[in-house]
Amino acid sequence: MTRPDTAPATGTGGVKRGLADMLKGGVIMDVVTPEQAKIAEDAGAVAVMALERVPADIRAQGGVARMSDPDMVAGIVESVSIPVMAKARIGHFVEAQVLQSIGVDYVDESEVLTPADEAHHIDKWAFTVPFVCGATNLGEALRRLGEGAAMIRSKGEAGTGNVVEATRHMRAIRSEIRALSRMDTQELYAAAKELRAPVSLVQEVAESGRLPVVLFTAGGIATPADAAMMMQLGAEGVFVGSGIFKSGDPAKRAEAIVRATTFHDDPDVIAKVSAGLGEAMVGRTTSDMAEHERLATRGW
Amino acid sequence: MAVTAPVGVLALQGNVPEHLDALRACGAEARPVRRPAELAEVAGLVLPGGESTTLSKLLEAVELLEPLRERLRAGMPAFGSCAGMILLAREAIDGRPDQHQLGALDITVRRNAFGRQVQSFETDLAVTGVVGGPVRAVFIRAPWVESTGRGVEVLARVPGSVPGPASGKVVAVRQGPVMATAFHPEQTGDARLHDLFLRRVREYAAAG
């Protein structure tokens, strides 16, 4: 990369990826009101994700799920000092422009909302605000990076309280990275074709043995043990959606998940914080879900 | 010259691996610190970038807050970047009222002083004590230093070429064995500031 001149530069790759770096080891919580955002901040969340309805409610109520009301997002931005992320529909670049304009710190181009475009994701290079995108495998992650995403998360199956899909996605991404690391130059060209991803990114991942951006996990995380397991599977941080505010004691569960994420490799701590949390959100299995109910298949 | 005693990076949350890498690149033995027993074993501590509210809360929850204050009072060298600078400061403006301050630097900082993420930026910055040209300074929802007490040495200011209220603001300081930057030297692969910190650690170790 050429060295930029001495004038200060905003919206650079380093600045966009850098904020995700600062969130590492932390928990980002879905919130729908300023009150929930305060509870999340009090519990030690590193950021909050503003959305119209949590995924479990989107599933239950159906209809088109869109970006939150800008007033509500602005209210959340006002109410906490931690970074505020917000979801835009896949391909809905104007929702993303609106979120950038009201001062959101990160935009999640999210399969949890109803996609606005069936062929195109947002051109994320065109924005100053950084983007996080979901992925179910390495190819999808690299295509999102090619479009300018600055952070990747597993998709999981949001709103189910079932961690099995997130596990699948985390394992897929990590094992595909390991496979790339063992390939020679010619094999990498073939792998790029297979992954439908830019060759330069494939080569970079093969060499470094990791994504060039921070990798979080999301989708179905409901307990401290879920969060710790994802961290041990290689996630660098955790998004929790419905798992907190659909549980019996959100403040206590939020705090417990934060602690379990920091001490993800210490079963004594996880045991201690997992005790007496009250009801977890009601979960549902994903193996018997109809195709149209699956959110993870949105985006490509 | 390698530092013989290990140095730590506070590893509760934030940009921990990059700081460990930078310290190791300078020849130091670097370890993550999450527990009081781990803090007791290190000769100096880096407080990384992260979310200062989260770090403050976790410091208390894992019972590291008082042991850390104790070590800092006893003169342990420390280096804070961004959130680390906020924690080391005597006072923080625009933070939560319940946020803990370690008070190892006699400075008042303003949190998120440059604005939100879309205002985050990078620029070249001359830093006192760092030889070989300016450092590339990455500011991410960064604080700046509003005021400094006696005994605080200013190491860097925002260049005058930056317009608005940020122009000329103090963004790197040192007071005795403790230094801090509002930006993230761990983000650029340039370990000269870590080297400066390790020099403090050696001086402190030599003084016994």
Side-chain angles (χ1 to χ4, degrees):
Chain A
M1 208 155 61
T2 55
R3 201 172 168 77
D5 63 14
T6 53
T10 57
T12 62
V15 164
K16 287 177 170 179
R17 290 191 303 269
L19 178 55
D21 275 319
M22 300 316 142
L23 305 176
K24 281 189 295 205
V27 181
I28 299 167
M29 303 180 190
D30 275 5
V31 298
V32 300
T33 63
E35 293 69 37
Q36 289 187 352
K38 290 296 290 177
I39 292 171
E41 183 179 55
D42 287 345
V46 288
V48 292
M49 173 72 73
L51 72 173
E52 187 189 35
R53 293 173 278 166
V54 294
D57 287 337
I58 292 173
R59 279 185 188 284
Q61 297 159 4
V64 172
R66 311 179 180 92
M67 172 185 83
S68 263
D69 179 343
D71 258 357
M72 184 59 80
V73 180
I76 290 169
V77 165
E78 274 302 300
S79 69
V80 292
S81 69
I82 54 178
V84 175
M85 300 183 167
K87 287 186 192 290
R89 283 178 268 178
I90 290 175
H92 207 315
F93 51 88
V94 174
E95 282 190 350
Q97 288 165 1
V98 169
L99 292 173
Q100 172 168 289
S101 145
I102 57 182
V104 157
D105 297 297
Y106 239 93
V107 174
D108 183 2
E109 187 183 17
S110 178
E111 71 284 358
V112 167
L113 306 185
T114 311
D117 190 320
E118 292 179 325
H120 310 93
H121 281 256
I122 296 169
D123 171 14
K124 294 165 273 287
W125 297 114
F127 288 78
T128 307
V129 69
F131 281 74
V132 55
C133 286
T136 60
N137 56 44
L138 182 60
E140 207 175 345
L142 296 181
R143 288 194 291 280
R144 295 297 85 77
L145 295 182
E147 296 155 3
M151 179 181 187
I152 296 292
R153 56 170 175 77
S154 67
K155 282 183 175 171
E157 197 53 60
T160 61
N162 186 343
V163 82
V164 66
E165 301 296 323
T167 304
R168 188 201 317 279
H169 303 158
M170 290 307 300
R171 283 197 182 276
I173 292 169
R174 300 270 295 174
S175 96
E176 288 171 302
I177 291 174
R178 277 193 296 274
L180 285 188
S181 299
R182 289 190 297 269
M183 290 180 190
D184 68 21
T185 315
Q186 282 179 310
E187 287 170 332
L188 286 176
Y189 287 114
K193 211 157 84 180
E194 189 91 347
L195 290 166
R196 294 186 289 132
V199 175
S200 58
L201 275 174
V202 170
Q203 288 165 333
E204 187 180 347
V205 170
E207 198 167 315
S208 65
R210 52 159 298 143
L211 289 180
V213 302
V214 168
L215 172 63
F216 268 47
T217 189
I221 287 108
T223 69
D226 287 348
M229 176 176 164
M230 290 300 119
M231 294 296 285
Q232 290 199 33
L233 285 176
E236 294 175 280
V238 179
F239 284 90
V240 186
S242 322
I244 289 173
F245 289 101
K246 286 288 163 189
S247 73
D249 188 343
K252 197 167 176 196
R253 182 165 294 263
E255 211 164 300
I257 292 176
V258 168
R259 196 83 69 82
T261 301
T262 298
F263 289 95
H264 56 89
D265 54 354
D266 187 335
D268 293 343
V269 174
I270 299 162
K272 205 169 116 198
V273 302
S274 299
L277 290 183
E279 287 287 307
M281 73 176 281
V282 179
R284 60 170 293 183
T285 57
T286 57
S287 52
D288 58 351
M289 263 182 170
E291 199 52 36
H292 73 271
E293 287 188 280
R294 292 182 181 269
L295 304 179
T297 54
R298 294 171 170 178
W300 40 88
Chain B
M1 189 181 95
V3 174
T4 44
V7 288
V9 178
L10 183 68
L12 297 175
Q13 187 274 315
N15 209 16
V16 177
E18 286 74 4
H19 275 296
L20 289 170
D21 288 349
L23 292 167
R24 286 169 187 155
C26 298
E29 184 195 337
R31 302 176 179 177
V33 168
R34 288 183 296 178
R35 300 174 177 85
E38 292 162 351
L39 177 64
E41 288 172 0
V42 297
L45 188 72
V46 170
L47 291 88
E51 271 311 309
S52 60
T53 46
T54 308
L55 287 169
S56 160
K57 193 172 169 59
L58 284 170
L59 273 175
E60 185 179 11
V62 305
E63 293 170 8
L64 262 179
L65 187 63
E66 285 314 316
L68 180 51
R69 281 193 171 133
E70 194 56 43
R71 287 294 309 270
L72 290 167
R73 267 197 296 269
M76 176 182 69
F79 175 22
S81 61
C82 196
M85 174 190 251
I86 296 169
L87 289 171
L88 287 168
R90 182 176 48 75
E91 189 190 1
I93 304 171
D94 286 350
R96 289 168 55 104
D98 60 350
Q99 183 160 320
H100 300 295
Q101 300 301 138
L102 294 166
L105 287 169
D106 187 11
I107 58 173
T108 297
V109 296
R110 183 177 295 281
R111 287 191 59 203
N112 301 338
F114 294 91
R116 304 196 67 84
Q117 173 63 11
V118 289
Q119 277 100 37
S120 291
F121 67 101
E122 49 180 288
T123 189
D124 284 343
L125 205 62
V127 181
T128 305
V130 173
V131 290
V135 300
R136 189 71 186 163
V138 181
F139 291 86
I140 297 171
R141 287 173 47 98
W144 68 45
V145 179
E146 286 274 332
S147 63
T148 56
R150 279 197 311 184
V152 176
E153 183 190 357
V154 172
L155 301 181
R157 291 175 185 273
V158 175
S161 61
V162 174
S167 186
K169 280 289 187 306
V170 174
V171 287
V173 295
R174 173 169 101 91
Q175 183 172 17
V178 180
M179 57 188 266
T181 60
F183 54 91
H184 293 278
E186 77 280 10
Q187 285 296 86
T188 54
D190 175 351
R192 286 179 292 169
L193 275 153
H194 291 83
D195 206 53
L196 209 59
F197 163 64
L198 289 169
R199 240 183 282 166
R200 295 283 101 75
V201 177
R202 283 194 292 270
E203 284 167 13
Y204 171 75

